[in-house]
Amino acid sequence: MATEAAQDAAAGAAAHGAAGQSSGMPQLDFSTWGNQIFWLLVTLVVIYFVLSRVVMPRIASVLAERNGTITNDLAAAEELKQKALEAEKAYNEALATARAEAAKIVAQARADIQKDLDKATAKADAEIAAKTAESEKKIAEIRAGAMESVTEVAKDTAKELVAVLGGKADAKSVTAAVNALLKG
Amino acid sequence: MNVAAEGESTGFNIHPMDQFVVKPLFGGDTIEWYTITNVTMWMGIAVLAIIALMVLGTSRRAIIPSRTQSIAELIYGFIYKMVEDVAGHDGVKYFPYVLTLFLFILFSNLLGLLPKSFTTTSHVAVTVTLALMVFLGVTLLGLYKQGIGFLGMFWVTSAPLAIRPILAVIEVISYFVRPVSHSIRLAGNLMAGHAVIKVIAGFASMAVVSPVVVGAVTAIYGLELLVAVVQAYVFTILTCVYLRDAVGGAHH
């Protein structure tokens, strides 16, 4: 019994030991190191050559090209901006010139109109003055005519009155009397 | 038999490390250095994926890039800027090598997240080789470029004279620990994450907890995606930092 148990234990231990070896740490199984190191070196050399011969020149050129494109685009944008600024300046200048021109034209027109107006006013004043003078002359004539008529009427009336009253009217004395009265 | 019976009795049959076993692809038991194994296959798939993205994706050379070309240009620009910023202008010469490292680690990490796949970067053999290449490359480059003056980086002139020897010892130790931490960090992160996913997934055979397990595996998968990208980034930026020492950007 005892020996059997001991044998069992030994077999178990042996089996366990074997299992432990196979499922221990494969990392520390130095018999595979040579293989791993060899293939690692092959892999690294392959990656290195692929990268340095193909990938890196390609990516470097793409990046350089992109940078160049971006720089060119920025320069072009800057140039266009400058042009736009110049155009704006030119536009503003043209606007200012046009405004000044318009102001000048307006002033000119105003001066012309004023001159015409002055001329017309003077002419109208002259005509008015002429007409006034003429009217005054006419009025004076009319007034003189009226005075004459009044004198004649007064003489005639006086002669008639004298005749009616039975007097013999001396034409000369009547006229003198009427004239004296009119003057008085 | 015994193990299987044990597995049956406890209800779980979890072998989290089986996914890391290196196997010959076309039969046979012995693994010689030239044997085509699953390592070969998954490294080849990584190469094909890199070619698909970086070569086929940019084949149109468009001024206005397509989506794939955009991603390729983004990776290129990201690593280029990293090298330029961290390693300095003199380091830009080594940009192709840094980009190779980054793409290989990134694609290996991400391909390793496919179900049933094999994660090449979870193997210490791979990461130690990568780290030693960086370490030896940087050391030799530094000695070639700066001559004996390269050793001046161990002699901290800004410290008081009395503690400079002590600092020199510490600096030398930390310099030689670099490749160790550089490699173990990557392999450890990848291995731990994949093993944890396997272990948790194994619990799914218990019907009661399987909904929880599905949720947990989903969450950890998301975390592992992050880890895959971040570890590739960390390995690359550390390479740039070491490179700066060699090209003489830091210690003058």
Side-chain angles (χ1 to χ4, degrees):
Chain A
M1 285 285 270
T3 52
E4 209 173 65
Q7 267 176 352
D8 254 16
H16 203 78
Q21 227 167 31
S22 69
S23 68
M25 272 184 64
Q27 278 87 350
L28 298 180
D29 180 4
F30 289 97
S31 66
T32 64
W33 275 45
N35 180 271
Q36 293 190 59
I37 292 169
F38 168 68
W39 287 113
L40 172 67
L41 294 180
V42 171
T43 306
L44 287 181
V45 168
V46 171
I47 296 174
Y48 182 84
F49 274 99
V50 168
L51 287 181
S52 60
R53 290 291 149 86
V54 184
V55 173
M56 296 174 60
R58 185 183 288 176
I59 292 183
S61 77
V62 167
L63 291 182
E65 202 178 330
R66 183 174 308 148
N67 277 341
T69 309
I70 289 171
T71 313
N72 284 347
D73 284 2
L74 283 181
E78 190 63 33
E79 207 172 295
L80 288 176
K81 194 183 163 194
Q82 206 59 41
K83 272 187 188 162
L85 280 179
E86 269 164 29
E88 198 193 346
K89 217 168 93 185
Y91 165 79
N92 279 338
E93 257 165 36
L95 200 66
T97 315
R99 207 165 270 163
E101 199 91 343
K104 219 192 279 172
I105 289 168
V106 166
Q108 182 91 31
R110 193 169 285 157
D112 284 357
I113 288 167
Q114 192 63 44
K115 216 190 277 170
D116 285 357
L117 195 64
D118 286 353
K119 216 187 270 170
T121 311
K123 201 174 153 198
D125 280 353
E127 268 171 22
I128 289 167
K131 280 205 172 135
T132 311
E134 208 173 311
S135 302
E136 270 170 5
K137 210 165 86 190
K138 271 189 182 156
I139 288 167
E141 261 170 35
I142 289 167
R143 188 172 286 154
M147 195 55 83
E148 241 166 64
S149 300
V150 167
T151 317
E152 235 157 76
V153 169
K155 280 175 192 167
D156 286 351
T157 312
K159 264 182 214 170
E160 287 300 316
L161 279 172
V162 171
V164 168
L165 290 172
K168 185 67 176 134
D170 186 0
K172 246 185 194 163
S173 55
V174 169
T175 303
V178 169
N179 277 346
L181 277 172
L182 276 175
K183 263 175 197 160
Chain B
M1 277 289 275
N2 210 336
V3 175
E6 236 171 61
E8 285 293 319
S9 63
T10 55
F12 296 118
N13 197 3
I14 307 168
H15 298 294
M17 303 310 272
D18 280 4
Q19 57 177 324
F20 300 121
V21 174
V22 177
K23 295 182 284 257
L25 213 53
F26 303 113
D29 289 328
T30 53
I31 297 173
E32 301 293 333
W33 58 269
Y34 52 81
T35 313
I36 295 177
T37 55
N38 47 357
V39 177
T40 318
M41 184 176 86
W42 284 100
M43 283 184 181
I45 293 174
V47 170
L48 292 181
I50 291 170
I51 289 177
L53 173 65
M54 303 301 284
V55 177
L56 304 183
T58 59
S59 58
R60 279 179 48 231
R61 299 162 189 257
I63 293 285
I64 299 160
S66 61
R67 283 182 215 177
T68 336
Q69 191 184 330
S70 237
I71 295 171
E73 285 175 7
L74 214 65
I75 292 175
Y76 177 96
F78 177 67
I79 301 298
Y80 190 88
K81 203 166 149 13
M82 187 199 286
V83 175
E84 202 176 30
D85 288 353
V86 178
H89 274 290
D90 298 331
V92 171
K93 261 188 292 183
Y94 310 102
F95 167 58
Y97 184 65
V98 178
L99 187 62
T100 304
L101 278 182
F102 177 75
L103 283 174
F104 172 72
I105 296 171
L106 180 70
F107 275 86
S108 299
N109 290 356
L110 291 176
L111 286 169
L113 284 173
L114 295 174
K116 291 279 177 192
S117 72
F118 175 83
T119 319
T120 50
T121 39
S122 67
H123 271 264
V124 185
V126 171
T127 59
V128 160
T129 310
L130 291 171
L132 274 180
M133 281 166 79
V134 172
F135 178 76
L136 292 177
V138 162
T139 309
L140 293 178
L141 188 72
L143 286 174
Y144 173 72
K145 282 222 152 194
Q146 305 175 29
I148 206 76
F150 181 61
L151 301 178
M153 65 179 276
F154 300 121
W155 195 251
V156 186
T157 47
S158 55
L161 189 60
I163 62 170
R164 272 184 212 169
I166 306 167
L167 280 180
V169 172
I170 294 172
E171 286 282 323
V172 168
I173 292 172
S174 81
Y175 187 79
F176 282 96
V177 166
R178 273 179 183 183
V180 178
S181 62
H182 207 184
S183 57
I184 299 295
R185 181 183 301 112
L186 178 58
N189 267 290
L190 271 287
M191 188 183 74
H194 286 65
V196 164
I197 285 188
K198 257 281 159 64
V199 169
I200 290 180
F203 288 120
S205 57
M206 225 165 102
V208 184
V209 293
S210 57
V212 182
V213 167
V214 170
V217 168
T218 310
I220 293 178
Y221 193 91
L223 187 71
E224 283 307 298
L225 270 178
L226 188 72
V227 167
V229 177
V230 166
Q231 286 307 319
Y233 172 75
V234 165
F235 194 96
T236 316
I237 203 161
L238 280 175
T239 303
C240 291
V241 170
Y242 299 160
L243 201 56
R244 182 180 56 184
D245 291 339
V247 296
H251 303 275
H252 275 296

